Every structure is written in C-alpha cells, then in structure tokens.
Amino acid sequence: MTEDNLLSRISIDPNICFGKPCIRGHRIWVSLILDYLAGGMKIEEILEAYPSIEREDILACIAYGAEMARDCFFEISLTPKK
C-alpha cells in the first residue's frame, strides 16, 4: 500500500473531534494511536482494543505522523528534566 493510499485513511473535519486528524469513519485520533505506539503498545494490542479499525489504519497514523514531522520541528532538550 502506498503512502498516498495510507493517508487517504486519515480525515480532518472541523465538525468531528474538534478538527483533529482521525482515522476515517471513526472518532479515533491519530495522536492517540501514535501515543499508544510510543508507549510500547503493539499494533495487535491496539487492534484488540479497537476492533473496528484495521492494521492499515494504524500504518496510516504512522505515515501521517511522518509526514507532519517533515514540516514541523520541536526543540527537544538533550538534558533530562528535573
């Protein structure tokens, strides 16, 4: 599946979830899925928690995050916070 096909699984509608990027046809935020993955959750665990979505939806969230990272930069401290 190409990146364009994956990204077509993401929708942004100002009338749904405050305009946050969601998995198309669901009210599941892309950021929620990325937070789960960043926290160590496996794709299979997310699919169990949200049986209405597909593996490709999760891959679409990753592709969306990668696309956003190409254009946005956030300063990250190299020293641990106290």
Side-chain angles (χ1 to χ4, degrees):
M1 183 168 267
T2 68
E3 186 172 312
D4 285 341
N5 288 345
L6 285 174
L7 290 175
S8 71
R9 291 175 166 265
I10 304 300
S11 66
I12 300 172
D13 182 334
N15 297 313
I16 298 174
C17 294
F18 313 104
K20 292 185 179 204
C22 294
I23 296 172
R24 186 172 299 285
H26 302 276
R27 292 178 179 265
I28 302 170
W29 299 348
V30 168
S31 61
L32 176 68
I33 300 300
L34 294 176
D35 283 341
Y36 284 152
L37 292 168
M41 208 169 178
K42 295 182 178 7
I43 289 176
E44 293 76 21
E45 293 172 315
I46 297 171
L47 293 173
E48 283 179 26
Y50 296 93
S52 63
I53 65 172
E54 301 173 349
R55 178 180 176 78
E56 288 76 14
D57 294 322
I58 296 172
L59 297 178
C61 292
I62 296 168
Y64 183 86
E67 194 61 36
M68 292 302 295
R70 285 185 234 298
D71 296 327
C72 299
F73 299 94
F74 296 95
E75 189 171 323
I76 298 174
S77 174
L78 298 177
T79 57
K81 291 183 180 180
K82 294 181 180 183

